[in-house]
Amino acid sequence: MVDDIAAKKIPVLVDLKWPEAEKDSDPEVKPTLRTLRFRDRAPSTPAAFAKAGVKFAFYSGATANPKDLLKAVKKSIDAGLAPDAALRALTLSPAEIFGVSDRIGSVEKGKIANLIVTDGDLFNEKTKIKFVFVDGRRFTVHEPEKPKDPPKGDITGKWKLAYTTPEGAEDSTADLTMAADGTITGSLTSKRGTGSILSGYLSADKFNFVINIPIGSEFADVTFSGTFDGASLKGNISVQGYSIDFTGTKPTSGATSAAIASTGEGDAR
């Protein structure tokens, strides 16, 4: 439909959450050829738009981890989109589409100075951000703290976190993935939405991870820290000067045991 969209001069927002197989999908159900083609060709859509002269901009969509955004853009570049066009789709084009290009979207005199400085090509996986300027003020980018000791155990899995806020008892689900060196990635879902882990690690039996979520009218960094004994988490939540204790358990372990007991699996027959 790219020619029709171009003829009608319709601006388009492109979701950077490219279609892919569900992690928990039934391995016995085989995708159709149409589905496989859709997954394979979706990242080539931006190149088709650029060639036809369609104005488009990228947005994060359902992408949970901010680190995945540039990787998703790189897929569109690998599928034929020029790097300059990719950069424009992240900056000036969305500003133009939403009518704010007189203030943001490009580096020009009189515009708001929200800038980043990198040590190389923005879309190169090894490139690092050296400086960030927000409204002209410089912020230094610090590397996330690394674990000092080898991790004792693997914290990977889904954890139910329980705690009490000034609003009452609450819980959330932390979906954690740990690398061999103890680095933690993943996300946390609560009634406030889903936040990606910005940095995290497990050092010996001590863990720490940080997410950013909306609280009231603002976004805030929330730090979870504590100890991991192999089967449970216990620690503290620090946010906006407040400190809250929490505990963490894996909800699936109890459900699995109950299911085995109810079906009589494992009984001698």
Side-chain angles (χ1 to χ4, degrees):
M1 297 180 65
V2 65
D3 292 335
D4 291 338
I5 294 172
K8 295 182 179 180
K9 298 182 179 181
I10 300 173
V12 179
L13 300 181
V14 178
D15 188 348
L16 282 173
K17 179 65 175 177
W18 303 122
E20 58 185 5
E22 295 291 337
K23 291 182 179 180
D24 300 325
S25 60
D26 186 346
E28 299 298 323
V29 177
K30 303 300 181 183
T32 64
L33 181 59
R34 179 184 176 87
T35 298
L36 292 174
R37 283 176 174 166
F38 179 57
R39 293 173 186 167
D40 178 64
R41 298 177 183 178
S44 68
T45 301
F49 282 148
K51 184 177 180 180
V54 175
K55 180 171 290 186
F56 68 95
F58 290 127
Y59 75 101
S60 59
T63 306
N65 193 335
K67 294 180 180 179
D68 292 336
L69 292 178
L70 290 182
K71 291 180 182 178
V73 176
K74 183 63 166 56
K75 282 189 176 182
S76 69
I77 293 174
D78 293 341
L81 181 66
D84 287 350
L87 182 61
R88 198 182 202 284
L90 290 168
T91 54
L92 186 56
S93 289
E96 290 173 342
I97 290 171
F98 288 101
V100 291
S101 59
D102 60 326
R103 286 163 279 167
I104 59 175
S106 59
V107 183
E108 295 180 59
K109 183 178 179 179
K111 290 190 176 183
I112 297 172
N114 294 341
L115 310 169
I116 63 169
V117 178
T118 69
D119 64 0
D121 180 353
L122 178 63
F123 303 113
N124 188 314
E125 189 175 351
K126 295 182 179 180
T127 295
K128 293 184 178 181
I129 295 175
K130 305 300 290 185
F131 304 108
V132 175
F133 294 86
V134 179
D135 202 12
R137 295 175 58 196
R138 173 179 160 179
F139 291 81
T140 302
V141 179
H142 299 285
E143 290 292 328
E145 188 175 351
K146 298 292 185 181
K148 297 181 177 64
D149 301 303
K152 292 183 177 179
D154 189 350
I155 202 170
T156 297
K158 289 190 176 182
W159 296 88
K160 181 179 179 181
L161 310 183
Y163 43 89
T164 301
T165 72
E167 299 174 359
E170 291 186 22
D171 61 64
S172 58
T173 300
D175 191 353
L176 309 180
T177 300
M178 191 189 79
D181 67 350
T183 301
I184 297 174
T185 57
S187 62
L188 185 138
T189 302
S190 69
K191 69 177 186 179
R192 293 174 176 81
T194 297
S196 298
I197 293 178
L198 305 178
S199 63
Y201 63 87
L202 176 66
S203 180
D205 64 344
K206 303 291 192 300
F207 68 85
N208 180 291
F209 61 87
V210 181
I211 65 168
N212 186 271
I213 59 173
I215 298 179
S217 59
E218 302 178 346
F219 278 81
D221 284 350
V222 183
T223 301
F224 292 75
S225 58
T227 56
F228 167 59
D229 66 5
S232 64
L233 307 177
K234 185 178 181 180
N236 178 268
I237 303 171
S238 177
V239 54
Q240 295 182 326
Y242 290 94
S243 181
I244 304 169
D245 292 333
F246 78 92
T247 57
T249 56
K250 284 190 174 181
T252 54
S253 58
T256 302
S257 298
I260 292 174
S262 65
T263 58
E265 273 190 76
D267 292 348
R269 296 182 185 273

